[in-house]
């Protein structure tokens, strides 16, 4: 039987993007899955769908801060007690750099995501996601100085900009409107699943999610929010861990 394949659309700045990414990377639940990570930028997604930023809603900004720490604790995920200084920051440059990594050094994308997520959400270093010199510092140990410089230069190319736009539009075409966004499919003859995480501009960031999954009977369903990832796991026939985080997803 073919393994579930997951395409994960990701942007660095969201705490829930980080929590979901960390879960995919480290939870045995997703070990049977083949996962492809796709950098996207949600600023355009938000604009295209006319979504309203949670920061415009009274008390929701406070609730989001509570929720990120609550889910991180339940899933034993390291995360800073407070959000990075300057949060939320513009990640367009970061996402273009990660897009360039996918074309110039695709085998280094996961280590690059690891470094940027940890730098921002564990070490609280905002320079890792909004300043070229900070991104260079984060990626040089992974790519080497010469390749890191090449990737940063490529990030400014029309090709990288166009590719990031195309992948973000792909997310919209799949039905995305918020963060994170999951689209899944699992068939007996062919299986694939895609999970998307999106992020917005500094003044307009969102923490919404929607999940869509097609099971072995060909039934497709949508699920909203990181707190529904347990339903995705069950719908795709994966085994849950006996940890507080999964138990909380009743």
């Amino acid at each position: 039987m073919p393994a579930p394949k997951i395409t994960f659309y990701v942007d660095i700045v969201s705490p829930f993007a980080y929590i979901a990414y960390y879960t995919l990377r480290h939870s045995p639940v997703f070990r049977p899955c083949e996962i492809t990570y796709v950098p996207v930028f949600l600023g355009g997604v938000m604009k295209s769908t006319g979504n309203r930023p949670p920061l415009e809603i009274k008390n929701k900004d406070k609730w989001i801060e509570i929720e990120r720490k609550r889910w991180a604790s339940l899933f034993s995920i390291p995360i800073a007690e407070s959000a990075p200084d300057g949060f939320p920051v513009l990640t367009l440059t970061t996402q273009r750099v990660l897009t360039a990594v996918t074309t110039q050094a695709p085998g280094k994308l996961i280590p690059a995501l690891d470094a940027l997520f940890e730098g921002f959400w564990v070490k609280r270093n905002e320079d890792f996601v909004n300043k070229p010199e900070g991104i260079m510092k984060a990626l040089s140990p992974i790519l080497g100085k010469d390749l890191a410089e090449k990737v940063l230069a490529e990030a400014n190319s029309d090709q990288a900009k166009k590719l990031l736009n195309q992948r973000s539009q792909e997310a919209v075409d799949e039905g995305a409107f918020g963060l994170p966004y999951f689209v899944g499919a699992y068939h007996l003859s062919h299986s694939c699943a895609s999970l998307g995480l999106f992020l917005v501009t500094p003044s307009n960031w969102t923490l919404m999610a929607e999940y869509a999954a097609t099971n072995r009977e060909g039934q497709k369903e949508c699920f909203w929010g990181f707190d529904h990832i347990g339903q995705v796991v069950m719908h795709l026939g994966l085994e849950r861990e006996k940890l507080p985080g999964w138990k909380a997803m009743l």
Side-chain angles (χ1 to χ4, degrees):
M1 182 180 297
K5 294 181 181 179
I6 299 173
T7 301
F8 187 78
Y9 300 97
V10 62
D11 192 313
I12 295 296
V13 75
S14 166
F16 290 95
Y18 165 63
I19 290 169
Y21 174 79
Y22 193 96
T23 301
L24 288 179
R25 286 276 289 122
H26 299 283
S27 174
V29 171
F30 297 101
R31 197 167 292 156
C33 303
E34 297 177 12
I35 305 175
T36 300
Y37 298 93
V38 182
V40 297
F41 179 65
L42 192 55
V45 175
M46 293 286 289
K47 184 177 180 179
S48 295
T49 58
N51 200 357
R52 186 182 179 189
L55 292 184
E56 294 181 358
I57 303 172
K58 184 177 181 180
N59 292 332
K60 199 165 187 178
D61 56 340
K62 300 180 183 67
W63 179 252
I64 286 169
E65 181 67 6
I66 293 170
E67 279 285 272
R68 74 166 182 89
K69 289 185 282 190
R70 177 180 290 158
W71 282 117
S73 176
L74 285 169
F75 279 84
S76 300
I77 296 171
I79 198 168
E81 181 65 23
S82 58
D85 294 338
F87 176 81
V89 299
L90 181 65
T91 57
L92 184 57
T93 297
T94 311
Q95 297 309 112
R96 287 174 176 169
V97 169
L98 288 171
T99 299
V101 172
T102 67
T103 61
Q104 302 299 312
K108 298 293 186 178
L109 178 61
I110 292 175
L113 286 168
D114 287 346
L116 292 172
F117 266 130
E118 181 181 9
F120 193 60
W121 283 109
V122 180
K123 299 179 179 178
R124 300 181 68 252
N125 191 335
E126 64 174 296
D127 290 350
F128 274 26
V129 298
N130 70 349
K131 294 182 180 180
E133 58 270 26
I135 299 172
M136 181 71 181
K137 182 178 180 180
L139 297 187
S140 288
I142 297 164
L143 304 177
K145 184 175 181 293
D146 291 343
L147 182 54
E149 289 178 346
K150 180 180 179 181
V151 164
L152 261 70
E154 176 64 21
N156 292 318
S157 70
D158 291 340
Q159 179 184 358
K161 294 176 182 179
K162 182 178 180 180
L163 186 55
L164 180 61
N165 289 339
Q166 288 176 342
R167 289 172 174 172
S168 299
Q169 182 59 46
E170 174 186 304
V172 174
D173 293 342
E174 288 284 2
F177 61 88
L179 169 111
Y181 191 85
F182 298 73
V183 180
Y186 193 175
H187 303 281
L188 284 175
S189 58
H190 176 72
S191 63
C192 64
S194 63
L195 294 83
L197 288 166
F198 307 95
L199 193 59
V200 298
T201 59
S203 60
N204 298 316
W205 64 294
T206 182
L207 297 173
M208 293 183 294
E210 195 170 298
Y211 308 74
T214 304
N215 65 12
R216 300 180 187 185
E217 287 72 41
Q219 298 169 328
K220 186 175 181 178
E221 295 186 11
C222 294
F223 304 87
W224 180 85
F226 175 78
D227 53 340
H228 290 90
I229 196 172
Q231 293 183 17
V232 177
V233 168
M234 184 166 61
H235 193 61
L236 296 178
L238 302 173
E239 292 287 336
R240 295 193 193 190
E241 291 181 275
K242 294 181 179 180
L243 294 176
W246 293 111
K247 292 179 180 179
M249 293 185 172
L250 301 177

